Each structure stands twice: as structure tokens, then as C-alpha cells.
């Protein structure tokens, strides 16, 4: 049975057209996935259907047609929307439990102890019901928003990148829950940046610049690009390489490979005449000690709760170190201690060979460190360009340098066209990119990146990693990075895995592959987590 | 309208305001404004037209006249007229102040001689300022104690002591500015953070949302009515001659007006900073200008007289001045009319806010 029919849906903000003439139908119990580059129009489509933005065209839900948010009011009690962004719908000063009370009352629901417990357990929040949302980790916030969207048992679930920043374990659990609710008759529209997730959906729609350019099952989409997919990675300005695959329109003397869904983006970009951005990082020798960061038994407590429990960490010159772990494992807390954003409760810290004891010790190191936080620190009242200029000024760059750098990075990361927009108006992925640009402006020698690629589309992620590797190889910059894309861990030299604040693994990636032969990194990660109960 | 929705929002709002410590500001700011402005409003007044009647003709009296003449604050004319004539000049706005030095002033000095000072009280604030100057000049210059009488052309403020005019006037300012900013902020915060999606995407009526957003600022500031009243009567010793119930009820209605303005502000702004700035700007200026603090509305020229009546603050102040200083209450039909006008304001503003508030992304 058809429960949703979308006809000629268009959304525009002022002059900017976000989507035009989108058409599709959704059957009962069906899960339809939206994929596409950042800013392609997935969110606008979801918002229009949820009735939170004005649109042109018609949406028919179970025979009821609506053409405006006002007309959509009637069906809102059957729909749940989870908008994009890390816990956007949460109130920082309300605890997890109070959020449940709020949403239950808002929807006039009766308390269903069993169901709520299940949701809380699935999200790993059962023990944290008294914790304020503002004190949850990024991924925990995301999961809380998600279970709140599930609370009213909607007939139509609309999720906008629900798993951004959610760890692999929870992502699997989320799918179990969605599948179960689907059995009870729920349908869902879900946008996602994780292609492994997209392949689990019944059907997919590929968005590009406001239009739907391909529809079909994951298999059908993959089928279309199999002629362009090769094994291995190469340096070329005609082809994209990412994740042990190379995508090229022209034939290559390489072995063909079985494509993954990620390839759809690259092939689409190539077909539109886009070329991989040439990233050039001048060779330079920076004068830094061999050990950039040395942390001995760092501990952080929040009241009784131990967020990081005696963690040792070493970051060497020219090394990319991946910091992995489930949501709430203590990654962000650890980085914040390294940066001095949280006081260190116990342990010793050396940065660039210098023992750090007080705030003063850090001042002269400021210009050598770049940081991208998980909840980015952008000024909402400034445009992206003004934000960058502000950061440049803070690091006393000359106006000429500033201009050159902004030009360079905006081109490199592909956010040129957004320079004059405000952070709120642009997709999450674009914000991520320019936060990274802001952290690079002053040419730091060490970068702390907290989930810089969460919510960023595949093509941009590949460019981003290319840049990181160039920074490392040509300039010897050291990078500490957290990510929930386990495939990205392959690009790290070494990984440190945290679980509930305790370090459980600290090893080179190639050693781990030797230890667990034949597994991809996501499988290795899940295995490690299981082994260390 | 469903109570569960309103209850949900109210509970959340109260927890939020208390935990994020906003509650401290809610109770600190009004009191601070009252005390700071109550004590501190002093404008610089220069060239006060001063008539000195010197009946003593002594060395001391000449010295006093000299002192008055040698500052920019006073334009002194020494005239030989009667007390009555002088008062007439004051009343017809030919002079701003009269200083009368009695005949045996210097002789009686040690017994406690007095100088009579009469100040035009039609601009209360200016009068208080002038009074301050005179006090400084005489007490600090000559160590003379003096009873100063501020002659008031405004019928009700007859026995104007310093704070009687200013403090009730500040009520109209405070209850216009503060509830409006709070209401605007608690709505815009949701827009800024993103939690507004909870309203957009759930089957919640606009009226439910608006009511849930009105109640917290309304309730919190209701308590402020009592707090400010106590400050006024105990700290500033302003007499209260009218009916407390009328004072309270009018203030509640007035707070609703302010909250209504806040809702309208929240519709056109999208960041908390902008909401705060805008709501303060559009309330402070009329709050100050037309409150009767700077000048009585009756003495305004025609244009500003009409303007003053566009802003609810002048109606409110009229009733508040009455309850504090006169006490006619609803026996005066003007007060009744003004009260009704205030009710209409409150209703229209809130209805407008409910109507205009968007339940969708702009
Ligand atoms: N200010 C705080 N008060 C209390 N608990 C806190 C506070 N800040 C963080 N925590 C808790 O510390 C733990 C670790 O949080 P952290 O942000 O480091 O996790 P994370 O590993 O970065 O997770 P994610 O992958 O979701 O970003 C979490 O359980 C979090 O709720
Ligand atoms: Mg984190």
C-alpha cells in the first residue's frame, strides 16, 4: 500500500532553489534512503514532507493531500522528524529523563515503561538518565534525539542523517530497532552519509544539486558504475581514489573491482565534469621534537563518573593517530585535556617537549596547535568569510595572507560558493569543512581534529584525507583525529581505542590487520570491543 | 488547547530558567534598575534661570550671590521683588528657581538661619538635579542647612520629595523592558539552538506554544511587582495612597503587554543577541521618554503628546502615579479608561503575536 506520494515538490529559500520537482512514492513498511552530496537538497525534501518548511507541489499522506506547513498540521501526530545536527532538538539543561517527560507530554503519550527502557538501553543511555543533555557526548546526544523521535511510535519516521557521529555498535542497534518497528507497519525516510547503511535500505534516491538524479536499490545503483571502478588507489587528476578503490571514466590499466555505493558519488562527480581537487602542500621542514604529545596516565572525573581513566598517549612527529571508541568513551574529553580546555585531574602532559602544568605553559604553544571541535565554535552572526577573517586576525595574519589562504582553502574544500552565507544556512558538511580551514589558517604543526568528517559527504571526505596525508608527508605535521568512519582508520598510522574511558588498544594499523587477517577495519573494531568486556 | 502540551513546555521552561541561572537576572535586573536609576538619575542642568531676593544685604549674602553667579549652572538675576511676585514668575515659567535670603540671615546664622529655595518641579528630574547643585553649593560652600521647597506646577506631585516622581515612573520602564526581553529570548533561543523543531514538527497549536511562552515571564515578573513595590515604599519612602489591588492588576496587564511585544520581537529575530538588543531598543526609548520621568506628558508639545499616547507606558504611568501619590483609583473615569486601553493593548499584542508567529522555517 502506498502511504506517501510526493508530486513536483520544490523548496526555495529566497532566490536560492533548494530542490525542484522531486517526485516519489513510499510504500507501507518501506525504508527509502536519501543520499547525495552536502547541500544537494535531502534536508529540504525531508523538511517539506514533515511540514516544517513552505513548499510548492503536493504531498499526499494516506490519501490526505497537503500543500503547506499549515495543511500538514493534521498529519503531524503520525510523523516524527529528527532534524540534522548533533542533538539539535535537545535542551542542554534538561536531563535525559526529563527529555522523555517533555516529549511524552508534548505528544500526549502514556508512559510505556517497557518501550522506553528498551529505547534507553539501545542508545546506551539507561545508566545516564539523570545526566544533563549538555553533558552528554556528541554521539550520545545524537542517539538521544533519535530515540526521542521513536518515542511516539510514528507511522512515518523521517530521519535526517541520524547516525552522524554515532559509533558502529550503536548504528547496528539502531537498524535493529528500525527494522522491528517497520514490522509493526512503520515506514521511514532516512538520509545518510554512511553508505554501508544506505545499502541496507529498500530503495535509494540520489540527490544532486536539488534534483533526484537516480533511483533504485543499492544494487541497481552500484551496477551502473561497475565499469568505472578499479582496485587500488592512484594519484591522478582525472580519477578519484578513496577507500582502496579508484573511479575513472576513462579506461585504466587496472583490475576492475566490485564497486561500493560510495563510488556512485565519485562517478556522478566525474560525469558532471568535476575533477579531484589538486591539493598542493609545499615541502617544508618544521623544527619540532620527535615526540609532539606525551600524556602519562591522564584522568578526568566528572563528579563520581570517570570519563578518562589513566590514559597514556603518544603522538610522534609526522604521524596520523586515530582515536577511536564508542560514543561516550572519552575521546573528546581526552582531546580537551590535551588542549587545556578541561583541567587535568591526574597525570602528566608534555606538549612539544615541554611539561605543561599551568595555563601559562600553553600560551606560546597556541600558534602551533590547530583544533577542530566536535561542536564547532563558529560565530553565528558572522558569515563564513567573516568567521575565517576573524580567526586569521586572532592569529595575526596580514590581510594579504588572509585573502590568499581563504581563497586557497575555500577552493580546496569546495565551499567557495558559501563564503557569504551564515553558518546556520549551510549544510553541516560545509560547516565542518570551513572549521577545518579555520584551524589550518595559522599553519599549525599539530592538529587535533574531533570528528572532522562526521556528516561530510564522501567526495569531500576523500579530498580531506588526501590533504591530511599531504600535510603529514610534506610538512611533517602530526595529527590526532577521531572518527566513527572505521574505513577512515585505514588512513591512520596508528590507532588508540578507548572503551569507557580506558585504553584497550594502542597499535599500528598494519599490525592489527595482521592480527585479524581478512577483516575490514569496522569488523576489527567490533571484535576488539567485544574482546575487551 | 491541550494542557499537557502547555504543561510540558512550562515544566521545561522553569527547569531551564532555574538551571541556567537566568532566574537570578530576572530578579536582579529590575531591582538594579530601580535602585540605580532611583538614586542615580541626575542630568546635568545648566543655566537655571535663578532669581535671588536678597533681604539681608550682608557680606555673607553677597558671597552667596557671588557663588551662584560664578557657575555655569545658574543664570542669576538679583531682583527686589516680593515673595509672591517671585512665586508668580516661577509658576508662569519665567524663572526656574528662586532663592530668598531672609533679612537677618547672617545674624541668625548660628542660631540656625534658613534660606528659602523654590525650584520649579514641573520637570521632576531636573528639579532634583538642581536641588542637588544648590545643596552642594550651600552646604559644602557655607555649611548652611536649608529647607528646599520644590514648587510644583503639577497638581498631584505637590509634596514632591526627590524620589516620589522618579520611582513610580521607573515601574513603567522596568515592566516594559524586562519581561519583553525575557519573552523574546526564551523563544528565540529555541530558534538559535534548533529546539524550535520540536514545535514545528509536533502537532502543537500556535496558541499552545505562545501561552506556554507567555506564562513563565508573566509569573516570574508578577513577583517582581511586589518586590519593586517594597523597594519603592520602604527604601525610597514613596507614599502609597491608592488601592493596592488596582496597582497590582494594572501592573499584571502591563507585563502582558510587554510580553506581547517580546513575542513580536521573537518573530523577526533569529539570534538571542539580536532579540535582546531589539526588544531593549524598542522598549527603553518610549519607556524613558514617555514615562513622565524626564518631563510630564502634559507639558509636551502636541506632536510628542500624541506620540506618548501611542505607547502604553503613558497610560500605565498615569495609573501608577495615581495609586502611589493621589489615590483616586477607579473613581477617576480617566483611570478606568486608561485601564481598559491597557487591556486592549495586551489582548491585541498577544493576539497579533499568536497570529504572526510562524510554525515553519523561514
Ligand atoms: N561536563 C560534564 N559533566 C558530566 N559528564 C560529562 C561532562 N562532559 C562529558 N561527560 C561525560 O563523559 C563521557 C565522555 O564524553 P566524551 O565527550 O569524551 O565522549 P566521546 O568519546 O567524545 O564520545 P562521542 O563519540 O559521542 O563524541 C560521557 O559519558 C559524557 O557524558
Ligand atoms: Mg566526542
Amino acid at each position: 500500500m502506498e502511504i506517501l506520494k510526493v508530486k513536483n515538490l520544490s523548496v526555495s529559500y529566497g532566490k536560492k532553489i533548494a530542490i525542484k520537482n522531486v517526485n516519489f512514492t513510499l510504500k507501507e513498511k518501506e525504508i527509502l534512503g536519501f543520499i547525495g552530496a552536502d547541500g544537494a537538497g535531502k534536508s529540504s525534501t525531508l523538511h517539506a514532507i514533515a511540514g516544517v518548511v513552505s513548499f510548492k507541489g503536493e504531498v499526499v499522506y494516506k490519501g490526505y493531500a497537503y500543500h503547506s506547513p499549515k495543511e500538514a498540521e493534521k498529519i503531524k501526530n503520525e510523523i516524527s522528524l529528527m532534524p540534522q545536527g548533533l542533538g539539535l532538538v535537545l535542551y542542554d539543561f534538561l536531563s535525559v529523563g526529563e527529555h522523555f517527560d517533555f516529549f511524552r507530554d508534548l505528544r500526549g503519550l502514556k508512559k510505556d515503561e517497557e518501550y522506553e527502557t528498551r529505547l534507553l538501553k539501545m542508545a546506551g543511555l539507561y545508566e545516564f538518565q539523570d545526566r544533563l543533555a549538555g553533558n552528554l557526548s556528541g554521539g550520545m546526544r545524537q542517539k538521544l534525539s533519535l530515540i526521542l523521535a521513536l518515542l511516539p511510535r510514528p507511522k512515518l519516521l523521517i530521519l535526517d542523517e541520524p547516525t552522524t557521529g554515532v559509533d558502529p555498535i550503536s548504528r547496528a542497534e539502531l537498524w535493529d530497532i528500525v527494522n522491528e518497528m517497520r514490522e509493526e507497519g512503520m515506514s521511514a525516510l532516512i538520509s545518510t552519509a554512511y553508505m554501508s547503511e544506505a545499502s541496507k535500505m529498500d530503495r535509494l534516491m540520489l540527490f544532486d544539486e536539488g534534483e533526484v538524479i537516480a533511483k533504485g536499490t543499492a544494487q541497481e545503483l552500484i551496477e551502473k558504475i561497475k565499469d568505472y571502478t578499479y582496485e587500488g588507489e592512484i594519484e591522478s587528476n582525472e580519477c578519484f581514489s578513496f577507500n582502496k578503490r579508484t573511479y575513472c571514466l576513462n579506461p585504466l590499466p587496472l583490475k576492475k573491482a566490485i564497486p561500493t555505493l560510495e563510488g556512485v558519488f565519485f562517478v556522478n562527480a566525474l560525469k558532471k565534469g568535476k575533477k579531484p581537487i589538486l591539493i598542493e602542500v609545499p615541502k617544508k621542514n618544521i623544527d619540532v621534537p620527535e615526540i609532539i604529545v606525551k600524556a602519562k596516565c591522564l584522568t578526568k572525573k566528572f563528579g563520581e563518573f570517570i570519563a578518562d581513566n589513566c590514559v597514556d598517549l603518544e603522538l610522534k612527529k609526522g604521524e596520523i593517530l586515530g582515536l577511536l571508541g564508542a560514543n561516550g568513551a572519552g575521546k573528546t574529553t581526552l582531546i580537551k585535556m590535551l588542549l587545556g580546555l578541561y583541567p587535568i585531574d591526574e597525570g602528566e602532559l608534555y606538549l612539544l617537549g615541554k611539561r605543561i602544568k599551568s595555563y601559562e605553559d600553553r600560551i606560546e604553544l597556541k600558534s602551533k596547535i590547530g583544533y577542530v571541535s566536535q561542536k564547532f565554535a563558529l560565530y553565528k552572526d558572522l558569515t563564513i568569510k567573516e568567521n575565517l577573517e576573524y580567526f586569521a586576525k586572532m592569529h595575526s595574519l596580514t590581510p594579504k595572507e588572509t585573502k590568499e589562504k581563504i581563497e586557497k582553502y575555500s577552493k580546496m574544500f569546495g565551499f567557495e560558493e558559501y563564503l557569504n552565507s551564515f553558518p546556520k544556512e549551510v549544510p553541516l558538511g560545509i560547516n565542518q569543512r570551513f572549521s577545518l580551514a579555520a584551524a589550518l589558517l595559522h599553519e599549525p604543526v599539530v592538529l587535533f581534529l574531533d570528528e572532522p568528517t562526521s556528516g561530510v559527504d564522501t567526495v569531500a571526505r576523500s579530498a580531506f584525507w588526501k590533504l591530511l596525508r599531504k600535510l603529514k608527508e610534506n610538512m611533517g605535521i602530526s595529527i590526532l583525529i577521531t572518527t566513527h568512519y572505521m574505513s577512515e582508520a585505514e588512513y591512520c598510522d596508528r590507532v588508540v581505542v578507548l572503551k569507557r574511558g580506558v585504553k584497550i588498544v594502542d597499535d599500528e594499523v598494519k599490525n592489527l590487520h595482521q592480527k585479524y587477517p581478512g577483516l575490514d577495519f569496522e569488523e576489527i573494531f567490533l571484535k576488539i570491543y567485544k574482546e575487551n568486556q | 488547547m491541550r494542557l499537557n502540551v502547555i504543561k510540558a513546555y512550562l515544566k521545561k521552561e522553569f527547569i531551564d530558567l532555574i538551571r541556567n541561572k537566568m532566574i537570578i537576572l530576572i530578579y536582579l535586573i529590575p531591582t538594579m534598575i530601580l535602585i540605580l536609576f532611583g538614586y542615580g538619575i541626575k542630568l546635568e542642568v545648566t543655566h537655571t534661570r535663578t532669581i535671588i531676593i536678597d533681604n539681608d544685604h550682608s557680606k555673607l549674602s553677597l558671597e552667596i550671590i557671588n557663588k551662584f553667579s560664578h557657575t555655569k549652572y545658574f543664570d542669576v538675576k538679583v531682583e527686589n521683588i516680593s515673595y509672591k511676585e517671585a512665586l508668580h514668575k516661577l509658576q508662569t515659567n519665567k524663572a526656574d528657581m528662586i532663592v530668598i535670603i531672609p533679612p537677618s540671615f547672617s545674624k541668625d546664622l548660628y542660631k540656625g538661619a534658613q534660606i528659602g529655595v523654590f525650584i520649579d518641579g514641573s520637570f521632576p528630574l531636573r528639579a532634583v538635579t538642581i536641588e542637588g547643585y544648590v545643596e552642594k553649593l550651600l552646604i559644602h560652600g557655607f555649611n548652611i542647612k536649608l529647607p528646599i521647597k520644590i514648587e510644583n506646577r503639577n497638581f498631584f506631585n505637590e509634596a514632591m520629595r526627590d524620589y516620589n516622581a522618579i520611582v513610580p515612573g521607573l515601574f513603567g520602564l522596568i515592566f516594559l523592558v524586562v519581561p519583553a526581553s525575557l519573552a523574546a529570548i526564551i523563544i528565540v533561543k529555541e530558534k538559535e539552538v534548533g529546539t524550535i523543531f520540536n514545535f514545528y514538527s509536533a502537532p502543537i497549536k500556535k496558541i499552545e506554544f505562545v501561552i506556554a511562552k507567555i506564562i513563565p515571564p508573566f509569573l516570574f515578573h508578577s513577583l517582581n511587582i511586589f518586590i519593586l513595590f517594597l523597594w519603592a515604599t520602604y527604601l525610597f519612602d514613596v507614599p502609597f495612597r491608592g488601592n493596592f489591588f488596582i496597582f497590582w492588576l494594572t501592573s499584571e496587564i502591563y507585563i502582558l503587554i510587554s510580553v506581547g511585544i517580546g513575542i513580536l520581537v521573537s518573530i523577526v529575530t533569529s539570534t538571542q543577541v539580536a532579540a535582546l538588543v531589539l526588544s531593549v531598543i524598542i522598549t527603553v526609548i518610549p519607556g524613558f521618554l514617555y514615562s513622565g520621568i524626564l518631563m510630564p506628558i502634559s507639558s509636551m508639545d502636541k506632536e510628542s503628546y500624541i506620540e506618548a499616547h501611542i505607547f502604553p507606558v503613558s497610560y500605565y504611568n498615569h495609573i501608577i502615579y495615581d495609586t502611589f501619590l493621589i489615590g483616586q483609583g477607579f473613581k477617576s473615569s480617566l483611570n478606568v479608561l486608561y485601564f481598559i486601553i491597557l487591556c486592549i493593548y495586551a489582548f491585541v499584542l498577544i493576539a497579533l503575536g499568536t497570529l504572526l508567529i510562524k510554525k515553519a522555517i523561514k
Side-chain angles (χ1 to χ4, degrees):
Chain A
M1 199 187 84
E2 204 176 270
I3 78 153
L4 192 73
K5 194 172 178 68
V6 173
K7 294 181 207 160
N8 290 326
L9 191 69
S10 301
V11 174
S12 51
Y13 305 98
K15 272 194 202 125
K16 196 173 154 42
I17 296 167
I19 50 164
K20 50 180 186 273
N21 295 330
V22 170
N23 289 287
F24 67 92
T25 56
L26 180 72
K27 289 198 279 290
E28 195 171 7
K29 296 188 182 180
E30 188 181 30
I31 296 179
L32 182 58
F34 287 15
I35 55 176
D38 297 328
K42 294 166 293 186
S43 296
S44 299
T45 310
L46 296 176
H47 286 168
I49 294 164
V52 301
V53 72
S54 302
F55 58 88
K56 288 206 188 80
E58 187 177 71
V59 182
V60 187
Y61 175 79
K62 288 189 182 164
Y64 172 77
Y66 55 95
H67 311 85
S68 67
K70 202 167 173 197
E71 291 176 0
E73 276 311 292
K74 279 218 180 90
I75 57 141
K76 284 188 181 170
N77 56 351
E78 300 213 346
I79 296 186
S80 244
L81 164 72
M82 174 191 168
Q84 180 188 50
L86 285 181
L88 207 66
V89 296
L90 305 181
Y91 300 95
D92 278 358
F93 286 99
L94 251 55
S95 69
V96 172
E98 284 160 351
H99 272 94
F100 269 77
D101 297 341
F102 176 71
F103 279 81
R104 209 186 298 119
D105 282 342
L106 212 58
R107 297 268 185 168
L109 306 170
K110 283 218 184 61
K111 186 164 180 158
D112 180 345
E113 200 69 58
E114 205 192 308
Y115 181 55
E116 287 183 14
T117 306
R118 239 194 90 209
L119 290 177
L120 282 164
K121 286 215 166 124
M122 169 223 124
L125 290 168
Y126 190 71
E127 306 125 81
F128 300 120
Q129 288 181 58
D130 292 330
R131 191 167 292 177
L132 300 187
N135 291 340
L136 294 176
S137 79
M140 288 161 105
R141 287 171 68 88
Q142 190 76 350
K143 288 191 275 185
L144 177 56
S145 322
L146 189 62
I147 56 176
L148 289 171
L150 292 171
L151 187 63
R153 295 176 185 268
K155 289 270 171 299
L156 174 60
L157 181 65
I158 301 178
L159 306 176
D160 197 357
E161 301 204 8
T163 48
T164 299
V166 172
D167 64 57
I169 303 152
S170 311
R171 283 208 299 269
E173 282 168 38
L174 164 77
W175 278 99
D176 291 345
I177 272 219
V178 169
N179 276 328
E180 221 169 276
M181 294 189 61
R182 184 232 294 261
E183 292 308 309
E184 294 167 23
M186 183 186 76
S187 319
L189 298 172
I190 304 176
S191 78
T192 183
Y194 289 91
M195 288 310 118
S196 55
E197 219 167 80
S199 46
K200 291 185 190 155
M201 313 215 199
D202 300 329
R203 251 181 333 130
L204 292 169
M205 297 212 302
L206 177 61
F207 281 75
D208 192 58
E209 300 191 352
E211 284 174 285
V212 177
I213 55 166
K215 286 185 204 174
T217 63
Q219 213 41 52
E220 284 163 3
L221 293 182
I222 288 171
E223 198 65 22
K224 286 186 200 153
I225 60 162
K226 70 173 198 295
D227 290 344
Y228 313 115
T229 311
Y230 300 89
E231 248 171 42
E233 294 188 26
I234 57 165
E235 275 290 327
S236 156
N237 49 3
E238 295 288 325
C239 321
F240 285 102
S241 290
F242 193 51
N243 247 336
K244 299 182 179 149
R245 301 266 196 291
T246 292
Y247 307 91
C248 220
L249 294 183
N250 309 326
L252 287 179
L254 288 173
K255 223 176 123 192
K256 285 261 168 65
I258 301 162
T260 60
L261 210 45
E262 275 175 349
V264 173
F265 291 95
F266 294 107
V267 173
N268 180 44
L270 286 170
K271 282 193 172 154
K272 292 186 68 178
K274 289 202 181 124
K275 298 257 155 76
I277 304 152
L278 268 191
I279 294 172
E280 279 182 35
V281 175
K283 275 212 177 358
K284 208 163 97 178
N285 230 341
I286 48 170
D287 181 29
V288 288
E290 278 309 307
I291 309 274
I292 305 285
V293 180
K294 189 175 179 66
K296 278 194 201 154
C297 199
L298 287 192
T299 299
K300 180 79 211 167
K301 295 182 186 139
F302 296 105
E304 293 283 283
F305 181 79
I306 304 173
D308 281 309
N309 196 349
C310 194
V311 178
D312 293 318
L313 186 112
E314 215 178 75
L315 178 63
K316 300 189 192 80
K317 179 179 174 180
E319 183 183 42
I320 300 183
L321 175 60
L323 185 57
L324 310 178
N327 297 126
K331 303 179 295 295
T332 300
T333 310
L334 184 64
I335 291 184
K336 284 190 173 168
M337 277 196 286
L338 298 179
L339 286 163
L341 297 173
Y342 278 152
I344 297 169
D345 288 343
E346 275 163 46
E348 282 172 34
L349 174 64
Y350 300 85
L351 288 181
L352 295 154
K354 197 173 153 195
R355 171 91 196 258
I356 304 292
K357 279 192 178 144
S358 66
Y359 174 74
E360 279 80 44
D361 298 334
R362 293 179 184 274
I363 292 176
E364 57 181 297
L365 298 177
K366 277 252 152 83
S367 64
K368 303 207 166 123
I369 295 174
Y371 170 50
V372 175
S373 75
Q374 193 171 359
K375 296 183 197 167
F376 13 78
L378 309 173
Y379 294 93
K380 295 182 182 120
D381 300 323
L382 302 179
T383 64
I384 291 185
K385 192 161 170 226
E386 286 161 349
N387 258 296
L388 288 173
E389 282 164 355
Y390 174 78
F391 284 112
K393 217 170 247 156
M394 254 181 15
H395 289 293
S396 31
L397 263 66
T398 64
K400 191 167 159 264
E401 279 175 317
T402 308
K403 201 167 159 256
E404 282 171 11
K405 290 244 163 84
I406 293 180
E407 233 161 67
K408 177 173 133 190
Y409 287 122
S410 58
K411 226 180 247 148
M412 196 185 283
F413 297 154
F415 59 83
E416 264 174 312
E417 53 174 320
Y418 295 104
L419 274 178
N420 291 316
S421 316
F422 290 93
K424 257 199 106 153
E425 301 165 354
V426 308
L428 193 70
I430 302 293
N431 271 326
Q432 291 284 42
R433 297 180 203 182
F434 100 84
S435 314
L436 183 73
L440 285 171
L441 281 176
H442 61 294
E443 303 191 340
V445 301
V446 52
L447 278 174
F448 294 96
L449 308 175
D450 199 357
E451 294 191 30
T453 52
S454 285
V456 177
D457 67 45
T458 314
V459 176
R461 279 198 297 132
S462 88
F464 174 74
W465 274 101
K466 218 184 232 173
L467 170 75
L468 289 192
R469 269 180 304 171
K470 285 263 167 73
L471 286 173
K472 168 199 144 162
E473 281 160 16
N474 293 359
M475 293 177 74
I477 287 183
S478 314
I479 298 161
L480 178 66
I481 184 167
T482 71
T483 180
H484 288 299
Y485 287 96
M486 288 306 129
S487 55
E488 289 180 0
E490 308 273 7
Y491 290 118
C492 299
D493 299 307
R494 193 158 55 91
V495 291
V496 165
V497 182
L498 295 181
K499 182 173 183 178
R500 294 172 187 266
V502 180
K503 184 164 93 172
I504 54 171
V505 167
D506 184 345
D507 207 347
E508 288 185 18
V509 174
K510 55 175 192 273
N511 290 346
L512 290 171
H513 273 299
Q514 264 162 24
K515 207 169 153 196
Y516 302 94
L519 300 183
D520 68 21
F521 210 88
E522 180 153 338
E523 290 159 335
I524 295 178
F525 176 82
L526 292 174
K527 206 153 195 167
I528 291 173
Y529 242 67
K530 231 180 244 151
E531 282 170 7
N532 288 276
Q533 280 304 338
Chain B
M1 224 182 310
R2 287 156 307 166
L3 284 178
N4 58 309
V5 173
I6 296 174
K7 191 191 114 202
Y9 264 104
L10 282 185
K11 190 175 154 209
K12 177 223 103 182
E13 220 68 66
F14 280 104
I15 293 177
D16 199 31
L17 286 172
I18 290 168
R19 291 204 187 134
N20 72 17
K21 313 242 160 64
M22 188 77 122
I23 183 109
I24 299 177
L25 292 182
I26 292 175
Y27 289 113
L28 200 65
I29 289 178
T31 292
M32 246 173 53
I33 298 179
L34 193 76
I35 291 178
L36 278 181
F37 281 70
Y39 281 126
I41 285 191
K42 295 258 148 94
L43 303 177
E44 201 192 42
V45 181
T46 54
H47 303 293
T48 310
R49 293 166 300 165
T50 306
I51 295 176
I52 301 185
I53 305 172
D54 184 3
N55 294 328
D56 190 30
H57 301 290
S58 63
K59 201 173 143 216
L60 185 64
S61 68
L62 276 177
E63 223 172 284
I64 289 175
I65 293 169
N66 250 333
K67 261 266 157 61
F68 269 106
S69 316
H70 283 105
T71 84
K72 63 175 175 184
Y73 301 115
F74 304 103
D75 286 346
V76 175
K77 260 196 242 160
V78 181
E79 282 184 38
N80 209 346
I81 48 175
S82 72
Y83 165 76
K84 241 184 153 173
E85 281 170 308
L87 222 50
H88 183 71
K89 285 202 169 180
L90 202 62
Q91 277 158 358
T92 52
N93 197 19
K94 297 224 164 66
D96 301 321
M97 179 171 84
I98 294 170
V99 179
I100 301 175
I101 305 174
S104 51
F105 174 68
S106 51
K107 254 197 251 146
D108 295 348
L109 194 58
Y110 301 102
K111 285 192 279 177
Q114 293 188 330
I115 290 185
V117 177
F118 299 85
I119 302 169
D120 177 4
S122 49
F123 302 97
L125 199 64
R126 200 186 59 170
V128 175
T129 314
I130 296 174
E131 184 193 333
Y133 294 159
V134 175
E135 233 163 57
K136 214 179 246 154
L137 194 138
L138 290 177
I139 294 177
H140 299 299
F142 300 91
N143 205 10
I144 297 170
K145 279 210 193 68
L146 68 166
I148 292 184
K149 183 163 197 285
I150 293 173
E151 191 60 32
N152 204 316
R153 283 185 299 165
N154 249 344
F155 68 103
F156 57 79
N157 201 8
E158 207 181 301
M160 191 196 115
R161 293 181 25 265
D162 317 356
Y163 306 118
N164 293 8
I166 293 174
V167 171
L170 285 173
F171 277 64
L173 176 69
I174 293 167
F175 287 134
L176 192 64
V177 178
V178 186
S181 332
L182 181 61
I185 282 178
I186 62 174
I187 298 179
V188 169
K189 187 178 175 191
E190 299 226 21
K191 278 205 220 173
E192 191 173 302
V193 176
T195 46
I196 193 79
F197 272 104
N198 296 332
F199 165 52
Y200 290 165
S201 63
I204 303 168
K205 295 202 185 73
K206 288 205 269 179
I207 180 81
E208 293 163 344
F209 182 73
V210 170
I211 287 178
K213 289 289 179 184
I214 287 175
I215 291 176
F218 176 76
L219 282 187
F220 280 124
H221 283 294
S222 294
L223 185 59
N224 264 325
I225 299 176
F226 296 92
I227 296 177
L228 293 195
F229 176 79
L230 291 180
W231 288 130
T233 48
Y234 284 99
L235 189 66
F236 290 104
D237 250 344
V238 178
F240 190 79
R241 306 202 172 99
N243 180 323
F244 186 80
F245 179 74
I246 295 177
F247 162 76
W248 170 78
L249 191 67
T250 314
S251 299
E252 295 284 18
I253 302 290
Y254 188 64
I255 288 175
L256 281 183
I257 293 176
S258 171
V259 172
I261 295 172
I263 293 171
L264 291 177
V265 167
S266 78
I267 293 169
V268 295
T269 48
S270 55
T271 65
Q272 291 182 72
V273 181
L276 181 67
V277 170
L278 186 63
S279 51
V280 167
I281 286 178
I282 64 173
T283 51
V284 148
I285 294 173
F288 237 120
L289 279 184
Y290 304 118
S291 65
I293 302 177
L294 292 180
M295 52 181 126
I297 290 158
S298 53
S299 74
M300 282 177 184
D301 58 47
K302 205 160 169 210
E303 240 166 71
S304 39
Y305 182 80
I306 294 169
E307 254 170 59
H309 281 81
I310 294 174
F311 293 99
V313 58
S314 51
Y315 301 107
Y316 175 69
N317 271 344
H318 190 95
I319 300 179
I320 294 309
Y321 272 119
D322 178 90
T323 53
F324 269 103
L325 302 175
I326 308 170
Q328 275 188 315
F330 286 160
K331 271 179 251 143
S332 147
S333 54
L334 198 60
N335 282 346
V336 177
L337 176 69
Y338 282 4
F339 181 78
I340 293 170
I341 292 176
L342 285 176
C343 291
I344 295 172
Y345 259 109
F347 178 78
V348 169
L349 282 170
I350 289 172
L352 211 60
T354 313
L355 213 67
L356 293 180
I357 209 165
K358 278 249 164 60
K359 208 191 157 182
I361 306 165
K362 254 209 280 193

